[in-house]
Amino acid sequence: MKENHKNINTVYCNSNAWESLKTTLNKLNPSKIFILVDENTKEYCLHLFLSRNLYNSEFEILEILSGEINKNIETCLKLCNQLSEQGADRNSLIINLGGGVITDMGGFVASTFKRGISFVNIPTTLLSMVDASVGGKNGVDLGMLKNQIGIIRNPEMVLIDTEFLKTLANNQITSGYSEMLKHGLIHSKKYWNEVKAIDETNTEALEDLLWKSVLIKNEVITEDPFEKGIRKTLNYGHTLGHAIESYFLENTSQKTLLHGEAVAIGMILATYISNKLAYFPKETLNDISFHILKKFQKNTFDDSAINEIINLLKYDKKNDKGKILFVLLEDIGVPKINCEVPNPLILEAFDFYKNYK
Ligand code: GLY
């Protein structure tokens, strides 16, 4: 790490992060500490956490199965039952050790169990480091519809240790990198140029930019914690991205698409639409499509898939009075929220994606 202290509000990265967690635990003095893991973080990340000798009493382990498919209310009920059986009270603490599924769901359980107990997020994937663990969005899917049930409530602390990135497969890194590209698109040409130029699989190259992404996200959510305005810009590429992700979750015969992979497609589509509706420059649309498709393999969508995806847009959380509202860009760093987009233009955007070479 080139820079030593990276912390903002309650988010700590690397050098002083573990010490800060120790201080937080001592201050909270919880009656019991539960660590939520999945089979992957139990095997690859838990030992790093335990080796830090953070607290003078035992940790109880809560384990769930990995994958978006398990991010539902049934898993939450199982977790609440386990907490209850294992004697959790209102002064207990949950430490969420994992990716976005763990932090989203662990935060939701912590926010509702006994009307709310404290929690700490330790994101272990790039996606959860730069996005899911910051900003207090907790929740679960409803069937295949993404994040339909949830609450905005902040953890006591977020600890980012980039050592965890070494436990990830490349496609997991690239999925998180997609959110960093999004930060570039909504924030500034300078950051877009920096992010698009790195090799995301090189942890050293990634570290400083990862922190810049956290700062960008933090700036946005501090200004608008409950997504009344500017926070919507963090959904760039997500309107169609979430619908594409739901479509792939629903159609199990299709390959599995990671969140960032779906958002990458969503960003190309949203940028095409931005060119048509918000004067976004054509040559920049080509630059963005080129850089995204250099990192993310193209997917095929037939007409029935596209129709199903368009149909899923009616569940988007930004919708208002039945209107489907997109975030578009007038230029890189100049987002525009609450834009209505006619369906024929969405079809055109898919054509652009399919034919882009
Ligand atoms: N992932 C978008 C947000 O936190 O608002």
Side-chain angles (χ1 to χ4, degrees):
M1 238 19 236
K2 291 173 202 107
E3 197 183 307
N4 269 341
H5 290 284
K6 289 181 173 165
N7 50 271
I8 179 131
N9 300 333
T10 51
V11 186
Y12 292 78
C13 181
N14 285 351
S15 64
N16 59 344
W18 291 102
E19 234 4 79
S20 304
L21 179 56
K22 214 172 202 173
T23 311
T24 302
L25 294 184
N26 283 318
K27 192 179 84 198
L28 290 171
N29 188 24
S31 51
K32 265 190 183 178
I33 300 181
F34 294 84
I35 308 177
L36 179 61
V37 291
D38 61 30
E39 72 280 12
N40 297 319
T41 58
K42 186 178 175 190
E43 183 168 352
Y44 301 111
C45 305
L46 187 58
H47 62 91
L48 183 88
F49 173 87
L50 294 174
S51 72
R52 294 285 170 162
N53 290 324
L54 292 169
Y55 201 60
N56 243 348
S57 72
E58 302 247 307
F59 296 102
E60 312 255 350
I61 307 291
L62 300 171
E63 187 177 343
I64 57 170
L65 284 174
S66 64
E68 189 72 30
I69 199 86
N70 297 303
K71 199 177 95 173
N72 53 39
I73 207 79
E74 288 78 22
T75 311
C76 291
L77 284 178
K78 281 188 203 148
L79 286 171
C80 287
N81 275 318
Q82 278 186 53
L83 284 168
S84 197
E85 279 156 20
Q86 289 173 232
D89 62 26
R90 291 185 79 178
N91 194 31
S92 297
L93 172 84
I94 301 181
I95 297 181
N96 300 313
L97 180 70
V101 171
I102 290 269
T103 57
D104 277 12
M105 195 154 47
F108 182 70
V109 167
S111 301
T112 47
F113 184 76
K114 294 193 192 274
R115 296 207 183 93
I117 63 174
S118 300
F119 67 104
V120 165
N121 283 339
I122 306 187
T124 57
T125 62
L126 180 59
L127 185 81
S128 58
M129 288 179 192
V130 295
D131 185 38
S133 69
V134 183
K137 278 191 180 174
N138 311 291
V140 292
D141 302 339
L142 185 61
M144 298 307 151
L145 302 174
K146 294 270 305 172
N147 305 329
Q148 300 284 302
I149 306 170
I151 185 167
I152 295 186
R153 182 170 176 262
N154 278 303
E156 297 294 326
M157 182 183 156
V158 178
L159 182 151
I160 297 173
D161 185 338
T162 47
E163 268 304 296
F164 288 122
L165 294 175
K166 296 181 184 151
T167 66
L168 299 175
N170 277 354
N171 65 340
Q172 288 284 350
I173 294 274
T174 309
S175 173
Y177 176 64
S178 171
E179 294 285 351
M180 295 172 71
L181 289 168
K182 177 199 76 182
H183 291 143
L185 293 179
I186 62 166
H187 185 262
S188 61
K189 286 186 181 153
K190 184 171 180 292
Y191 191 53
W192 161 253
N193 286 329
E194 277 182 89
V195 177
K196 80 174 190 194
I198 63 163
D199 168 9
E200 76 283 3
T201 57
N202 174 343
T203 311
E204 277 285 300
L206 198 60
E207 282 185 1
D208 280 335
L209 289 192
L210 178 158
W211 185 244
K212 279 190 193 163
S213 264
V214 171
L215 293 179
I216 290 170
K217 174 148 193 194
N218 195 65
E219 196 181 301
V220 175
I221 55 125
T222 305
E223 190 177 330
D224 177 23
F226 297 106
E227 203 166 300
K228 301 287 178 218
I230 191 177
R231 184 166 184 171
K232 290 183 191 174
T233 63
L234 290 169
N235 286 304
Y236 189 66
H238 283 60
T239 312
L240 279 159
H242 273 153
I244 292 168
E245 197 181 353
S246 293
Y247 170 80
F248 275 80
L249 278 169
E250 212 158 61
N251 292 275
T252 41
S253 58
Q254 302 277 355
K255 68 174 203 178
T256 321
L257 205 63
L258 296 174
H259 174 73
E261 294 168 337
V263 168
I265 303 168
M267 287 194 290
I268 295 179
L269 301 173
T271 311
Y272 176 86
I273 296 168
S274 298
N275 169 252
K276 297 292 168 197
L277 289 186
Y279 306 105
F280 188 89
K282 183 86 194 276
E283 61 281 10
T284 321
L285 163 66
N286 284 329
D287 176 57
I288 291 169
S289 308
F290 171 78
H291 279 281
I292 292 180
L293 288 172
K294 207 165 76 179
K295 304 280 182 178
F296 296 87
Q297 220 186 4
K298 229 190 211 185
N299 282 272
T300 47
F301 295 94
D302 60 21
D303 289 351
S304 96
I306 295 171
N307 285 331
E308 229 179 288
I309 289 164
I310 291 178
N311 199 34
L312 284 163
L313 292 175
K314 63 174 177 273
Y315 302 103
D316 191 85
K317 292 186 299 308
K318 294 185 302 312
N319 294 352
D320 190 18
K321 302 190 185 77
K323 287 187 197 149
I324 295 156
L325 300 174
F326 278 66
V327 182
L328 298 180
L329 293 176
E330 289 175 356
D331 202 345
I332 292 181
V334 191
K336 195 174 167 205
I337 58 172
N338 301 334
C339 305
E340 266 192 85
V341 176
N343 282 356
L345 196 51
I346 299 176
L347 294 173
E348 242 184 64
F350 271 102
D351 273 344
F352 171 80
Y353 172 80
K354 282 199 260 184
N355 297 324
Y356 190 85
K357 289 204 181 71

